[in-house]
Amino acid sequence: MKKIFFQIITLLFVMIISSCSKDEAVINNVDDDCVTVCFCVSGLNITQEKTTRANTIQDAFPMLDLVLYTINNDGSYTKYKECSQTNTSSSYGVVTFENVKCGTYKLVAIGHNDSTHPSMEDPENIAFSKYVYLYGHTADVTITKTSTSIDVPFVHKSAKIDFEFNGYIPDEVEKIQFSIDGASNVYNAITGLAASTTNRVAAINVSKAERDAKKVTTYTYTLLTQDEINSANSYVNITIAGLNASNQEIDPKTYNHIPLKIGYTTKLAGVFFDYNNLSFNMTVNKDWGSYETVEL
């Protein structure tokens, strides 16, 4: 009987200890250092094209990517929270992260017109599938228990190149080809500049209407390795040529040291194929407006 009594006492003691351990585990799982934070894109006084002003971020760019990174001891970055939005989202431009642990992070946000969202695994090497117009913001942010909303002021991160061909276009010219040495579509969000450069080759068709009107226009964008490159230090060279039906080049011309600036438009305009009146001018417009005029 005494043996049974001690067994009962022992069982009750074990049950009491187990119950206390369970309660303690529940308390420890409550993390008071996590908060919900809302990131709001702001500062958008954006000119999307030369004559079109974007009044909303839906008009300014169709893609938005926002990431919080933790900073490792070796200076590298690890993705902590990520959100990708398209401009069809009802909450476009407002990103809410729940259960963000209090601490310091690297915030990277980009708005762009690529057809897909780029990989944001490495903020120093964000590669786009095409040559995008890009807006962005990078900052160190400290999240505290009182953090609720953080503004994300976007600014231009790309330069624009306009082409305008006037005058006679030979019948054999079916396309106009552009080779841009020094172009970039790879972004380093930590520096806010191009991560690398390459040679981009693209061509556009010449329509009958354009041939009759004696005017062909097109444009492209590029990231730069510095905020501004002028005619003295520019590493960007552009070769323009007509292409016939066999894609053979017709009258190629190369223009070296093209001045470009982030948030500005460099415009190459003039007569190209009229051999009796060779004239080609280059202007740069900021926001996309004026920067420089160059006689070529």
Side-chain angles (χ1 to χ4, degrees):
M1 186 72 179
K2 186 181 290 186
K3 182 177 180 181
I4 294 174
F5 174 77
F6 279 114
Q7 288 177 340
I8 294 173
I9 294 298
T10 302
L11 180 61
L12 289 173
F13 180 74
V14 170
M15 291 175 64
I16 291 171
I17 293 298
S18 299
S19 176
C20 290
S21 299
K22 183 178 180 181
D23 290 342
E24 185 179 7
V26 170
I27 292 171
N28 288 340
N29 282 335
V30 176
D31 192 346
D32 292 330
D33 293 331
C34 288
V35 295
T36 296
V37 183
C38 179
F39 297 88
C40 302
V41 174
S42 64
L44 282 175
N45 185 18
I46 291 173
T47 299
Q48 188 175 5
E49 298 296 343
K50 183 179 177 181
T51 59
T52 304
R53 181 165 294 278
N55 295 315
T56 67
I57 64 169
Q58 284 86 354
D59 297 330
F61 45 82
M63 296 282 192
L64 174 66
D65 296 273
L66 190 146
V67 182
L68 282 182
Y69 297 90
T70 55
I71 305 173
N72 304 317
N73 292 332
D74 61 358
S76 61
Y77 301 89
T78 299
K79 194 162 52 176
Y80 176 64
K81 298 276 187 181
E82 179 180 24
C83 179
S84 295
Q85 294 181 341
T86 61
N87 60 0
T88 56
S89 170
S90 59
S91 61
Y92 191 60
V94 178
V95 174
T96 301
F97 288 146
E98 297 180 349
N99 298 317
V100 178
K101 192 168 183 63
C102 294
T104 299
Y105 301 90
K106 182 69 74 174
L107 167 66
V108 172
I110 55 174
H112 56 91
N113 68 327
D114 207 355
S115 55
T116 59
H117 294 283
S119 170
M120 302 288 287
E121 202 66 34
D122 181 2
E124 297 180 288
N125 191 51
I126 301 172
F128 297 95
S129 64
K130 64 181 185 179
Y131 290 79
V132 298
Y133 61 78
L134 178 67
Y135 304 97
H137 175 71
T138 299
D140 292 319
V141 294
T142 299
I143 307 298
T144 68
K145 290 183 180 180
T146 59
S147 298
T148 57
S149 181
I150 296 176
D151 284 339
V152 183
F154 272 6
V155 295
H156 286 288
K157 294 298 180 180
S158 55
K160 185 182 179 187
I161 306 173
D162 271 348
F163 298 93
E164 182 180 300
F165 299 94
N166 299 299
Y168 167 74
I169 300 174
D171 291 339
E172 61 181 329
V173 174
E174 295 193 358
K175 298 178 181 179
I176 299 177
Q177 177 178 274
F178 311 88
S179 299
I180 306 175
D181 185 23
S184 177
N185 63 345
V186 183
Y187 180 56
N188 182 337
I190 304 305
T191 65
L193 301 169
S196 60
T197 62
T198 187
N199 183 53
R200 185 197 180 193
V201 180
I204 60 169
N205 294 320
V206 177
S207 69
K208 182 181 184 304
E210 290 170 325
R211 194 185 307 280
D212 293 343
K214 297 183 178 181
K215 186 174 182 179
V216 178
T217 61
T218 190
Y219 59 87
T220 189
Y221 300 91
T222 184
L223 304 174
L224 301 180
T225 60
Q226 57 199 70
D227 178 68
E228 177 181 358
I229 52 177
N230 56 45
S231 56
N233 65 9
S234 173
Y235 54 83
V236 175
N237 305 312
I238 299 178
T239 298
I240 303 171
L243 295 180
N244 63 17
S246 301
N247 287 326
Q248 294 175 320
E249 291 189 356
I250 300 170
D251 197 20
K253 298 184 182 72
T254 298
Y255 305 96
N256 294 315
H257 309 301
I258 303 299
L260 296 168
K261 187 173 182 178
I262 293 174
Y264 290 67
T265 297
T266 297
K267 184 175 183 179
L268 289 84
V271 176
F272 188 79
F273 293 106
D274 188 345
Y275 308 123
N276 295 319
N277 183 21
L278 285 178
S279 173
F280 213 59
N281 297 322
M282 180 166 58
T283 61
V284 185
N285 293 323
K286 171 171 185 342
D287 190 43
W288 307 95
S290 184
Y291 168 46
E292 186 177 342
T293 300
V294 178
E295 295 280 344
L296 296 178

